[in-house]
Amino acid sequence: MPTTIPTTTSTARASLSPNAGDAYFETDTKKYIIYDGNYWRSYASDGSGGWSGSNTYSLNFDGTDDRLDASSVVTPSATSGAISAWIKTTSTAYQAIVSTADTSGTATWGWMAVYNNKLRITFRESMGTVKIADGSTTINDGNWHHVVAVSSGTAYSLYVDGSAETLTNSNNDGTWFGDLTSLTSTNIGSHVRTSAGTFFTGNIDEVAVWDSALSASQVTNIYKGESNGGSGGTNGTPGNLLSFNPKAWWRMGDGAEANSGTTIYDMSSFSNDMTMVSSPAYQADTP
């Protein structure tokens, strides 16, 4: 007799008490989810993974109170990692793109941001020295830009539109978000400690996190919309990131959320979904 897989929904998943190996079918996302003992891993029911084949939407953040909160803390590893995003802004404010923090208020945090109109990566560990690396390209000019921060375990690298940045104000030693202790939040569009602040103004799209470093050629592949190891492609066209094995990939309207609702689904296999706070808006405005 055939066995029926139990069902749940993406919102009801948090109330489950699973054992390793437990599997469910999410009726709202149409994905199979399997618990590996630590995390839910998701698989698309038609085998196509998280790629819809199109990039039609981004999220617009109002710079006042809009943000996304992760369902669990998502960081790169302790020794290396990468963060990739597409952004569009004209704001001159210091504004967070992706951030992590200890919301109890201790001085533990890290973020990728726009600072002084340039790309910045920074973190502070347990009241220690603040580590910073700033880029050199103006990115608040109202155009879409692909921004990437990479740690190889020895130093940061920043990339804008597929090209490595000349770093300024850099005192980093390659330590990374994953080194931080007591992290309790991961956010997009704001930095959240005891309260939210440093809000992003403009559009954010196709955010991804890795727990290993991306190479310069992989950054170029992503900027061109190619698969890992590909050649050709079109500059400035987001593509399928699944071949790069991200730890999280939020498509901002083009994922399982299909530009509806308040959940931005992680389209990697790790199910690190994001929840809208204060209603950032879906927009048909993309790179």
Side-chain angles (χ1 to χ4, degrees):
M1 180 176 293
T3 300
T4 300
I5 296 176
T7 61
T8 186
T9 66
S10 58
T11 54
R13 180 201 308 166
S15 65
L16 299 174
S17 299
N19 296 311
D22 285 354
Y24 290 81
F25 178 70
E26 284 186 341
T27 56
D28 56 336
T29 67
K30 311 303 182 187
K31 293 190 294 186
Y32 292 104
I33 58 172
I34 300 174
Y35 191 66
D36 67 4
N38 294 295
Y39 302 102
W40 287 106
R41 296 180 179 268
S42 63
Y43 304 89
S45 58
D46 62 359
S48 62
W51 177 242
S52 68
S54 64
N55 180 41
T56 306
Y57 294 95
S58 63
L59 277 187
N60 180 264
F61 295 78
D62 66 7
T64 301
D65 54 8
D66 291 349
R67 70 176 194 267
L68 299 180
D69 291 351
S71 56
S72 58
V73 177
V74 185
T75 66
S77 72
T79 56
S80 61
I83 301 172
S84 169
W86 292 82
I87 65 168
K88 178 182 178 182
T89 183
T90 57
S91 174
T92 59
Y94 192 3
Q95 49 187 330
I97 303 169
V98 179
S99 73
T100 58
D102 176 351
T103 53
S104 70
T106 61
T108 301
W109 47 256
W111 54 8
M112 182 168 75
V114 181
Y115 174 74
N116 196 25
N117 310 329
K118 313 293 196 304
L119 182 63
R120 164 173 281 193
I121 191 77
T122 184
F123 79 90
R124 182 172 186 172
E125 181 180 9
S126 301
M127 299 300 293
T129 302
V130 176
K131 301 293 186 178
I132 294 172
D134 288 336
S136 53
T137 301
T138 297
I139 57 175
N140 66 333
D141 56 4
N143 297 312
W144 280 102
H145 293 287
H146 181 230
V147 293
V148 179
V150 177
S151 171
S152 63
T154 57
Y156 294 140
S157 299
L158 300 181
Y159 297 84
V160 173
D161 297 335
S163 297
E165 291 284 274
T166 299
L167 299 184
T168 62
N169 300 323
S170 181
N171 67 343
N172 75 89
D173 56 10
T175 47
W176 192 241
F177 287 6
D179 284 341
L180 303 181
T181 58
S182 304
L183 292 172
T184 51
S185 72
T186 298
N187 312 95
I188 293 175
S190 175
H191 185 47
V192 181
R193 288 181 61 200
T194 52
S195 62
T198 322
F199 293 99
F200 188 89
T201 304
N203 292 65
I204 301 177
D205 200 10
E206 304 291 340
V207 178
V209 175
W210 287 265
D211 56 9
S212 59
L214 293 172
S215 67
S217 61
Q218 287 177 313
V219 172
T220 299
N221 287 156
I222 293 171
Y223 175 56
K224 289 185 174 183
E226 301 173 349
S227 61
N228 191 7
S231 61
T234 303
N235 289 348
T237 303
N240 187 350
L241 296 183
L242 292 179
S243 66
F244 297 88
N245 297 314
K247 187 175 183 177
W249 178 26
W250 300 287
R251 303 212 54 221
M252 307 303 180
D254 294 292
E257 64 275 2
N259 70 286
S260 178
T262 59
T263 299
I264 300 296
Y265 292 99
D266 173 13
M267 304 312 293
S268 76
S269 62
F270 291 92
S271 300
N272 293 306
D273 300 335
M274 287 272 185
T275 300
M276 291 185 185
V277 177
S278 301
S279 302
Y282 295 108
Q283 279 194 354
D285 184 356
T286 60

